[in-house]
Amino acid sequence: MTISSPGRVETDLGRTRRARRIGRALTEAHPDAHCELDHTTALELAVATILSAQCTDKKVNEVTPKLFARYPTAADYAGADRGELEELIRPTGFYRNKTDSLIKLGQVLTERYDGRVPGRLADLVTLPGIGRKTANVILGNAFDVPGITVDTHFQRLVQRWGLTIQTDPVKIEHEIGAMFPKREWTMLSHRIIFHGRRVCHARKPACGACTLTRLCPSYGLGPTEPAAAAKLLKGPRARELAVAAGVDPELVPAQAAVAEAP
């Protein structure tokens, strides 16, 4: 059993049923959910995920068009001039470490995998700069292999919802994964991350403009008054999110649609 809120005891079955109701609500709220790192190949996605560490997807997407054009293959990264590569990715932060990872990634892919990104978790996690979270992103979006991506947004939300008390990402991945059909894992991850970036923010969640209020034991962590909560919504569908939550869309500031999702 787990206790999801003070005075409320919830069985594992009850928690799973609530988790699936949350999943259905997220499907309705975020029909546009997708991987927000622009890419056309598995290699591009691998590179973009490495660059996304401690950096917004928006900034990564500003950098990658020129980067991908300059380095279209793994061999190109393997033989890259360090100074040139560092300068290209400098805006993403930690560019020296990321440059090291990209060059080593290119070398390993060229030496072991004929320049191709492998499509197995066991192989991906051995690659420079790629951990389990990144591997699941690549599997789900480049190879259509279901995977759960436990990033900071995902972990924050499933804990707020009382779906897990685990803090280790791998344990969270397995515990949440057991609650949903495997085929849903990749899109579930996207929808939770979308919700975390647009509604359920780290410092001040938009509780009063959220479609999950009846399912969330953490309701009230952020402002519950619609006018205050609506101002916290972000993204191009901010006003649609307000409507879905029964909030007057006119309460959503115009700048919310262009606000950068963290």
Side-chain angles (χ1 to χ4, degrees), residues 3-4 11 23 29 45 47 54 65 95 111 132 137 139 145 151 155 157 169 185 235 237 247 249:
I3 298 177
S4 58
T11 65
L45 182 55
V47 169
Q54 303 298 313
Y95 60 92
E111 294 168 3
R132 189 178 181 93
V137 172
L139 288 173
V145 175
D151 73 349
Q155 181 168 336
L157 268 60
W185 287 356
R237 296 186 60 255
V247 173

Side-chain angles (χ1 to χ4, degrees), residues 144-171:
D144 201 26
V145 175
I148 287 180
T149 304
V150 184
D151 73 349
T152 56
H153 299 289
F154 190 103
Q155 181 168 336
R156 178 177 75 252
L157 268 60
V158 295
Q159 289 172 340
R160 280 182 177 173
W161 295 333
L163 300 183
T164 183
I165 59 173
Q166 300 294 339
T167 57
D168 178 75
V170 177
K171 291 181 179 179

Side-chain angles (χ1 to χ4, degrees), residues 28-29 31-32 211 233 235-247 249 252:
E28 294 180 4
D32 56 331
T211 58
L233 296 175
R237 296 186 60 255
R239 290 188 170 176
E240 292 176 57
L241 291 172
V243 171
V247 173
V252 179

Side-chain angles (χ1 to χ4, degrees), residues 5 12 23 32 34 53 56 69 75 90 103 107 109 145 150 218-219 228 249:
S5 62
D12 289 341
D32 56 331
H34 62 279
T56 65
R90 181 187 292 266
I103 291 175
Q107 292 171 345
L109 290 178
V145 175
V150 184
S218 297
Y219 175 72

